[in-house]
Amino acid sequence: MFTTTVENRQKLLELLIEGEEELRGFHGLVSANLHLSEDGTRIIGYSQWEDSAAFDRMRAKPDRAGHFAQVRALVTKVELLACRVAYTSDGD
């Protein structure tokens, strides 16, 4: 979860989308979703990876350092939480 200001939210959202688009086709990435909080101060990034090693490979890519620095400049807080899927429903 990325905490930001209302003023920076759109720019941060665009940057996060750009970052996700750059990862299209990256081995191990299953999907990525971004959710906006109603109060305009948080963006929740939800991505699914085949395993933690794939996530670690992405984070270790040298070209990601610049992206991460740009994100850090727009946020006041970043919270990362690794989870395993326990249940899903497709809404039907």
Side-chain angles (χ1 to χ4, degrees):
M1 179 165 49
F2 304 91
T3 303
T4 189
T5 62
V6 173
E7 297 78 21
N8 283 339
R9 182 178 79 167
Q10 187 60 37
K11 187 172 182 178
L12 177 60
L13 176 62
E14 291 168 5
L15 183 61
L16 293 172
I17 290 170
E18 178 182 304
E20 295 298 343
E21 291 295 322
E22 290 171 358
L23 289 174
R24 229 178 242 286
F26 186 84
H27 181 72
L29 176 63
V30 176
S31 68
N33 302 275
L34 296 169
H35 301 264
L36 302 175
S37 67
E38 292 292 331
D39 68 1
T41 64
R42 288 170 296 227
I43 298 176
I44 293 100
Y46 171 76
S47 60
Q48 288 184 286
W49 295 86
E50 288 179 358
D51 53 36
S52 60
F55 178 75
D56 292 341
R57 281 193 309 275
M58 177 277 297
R59 290 193 50 87
K61 285 179 52 138
D63 64 338
R64 302 309 292 164
H67 172 75
F68 295 144
Q70 290 178 304
V71 169
R72 279 193 301 276
L74 295 173
V75 301
T76 57
K77 185 176 181 181
V78 176
E79 296 176 70
L80 298 177
L81 178 63
C83 301
R84 285 177 285 144
V85 175
Y87 172 80
T88 61
S89 172
D90 63 9
D92 289 338

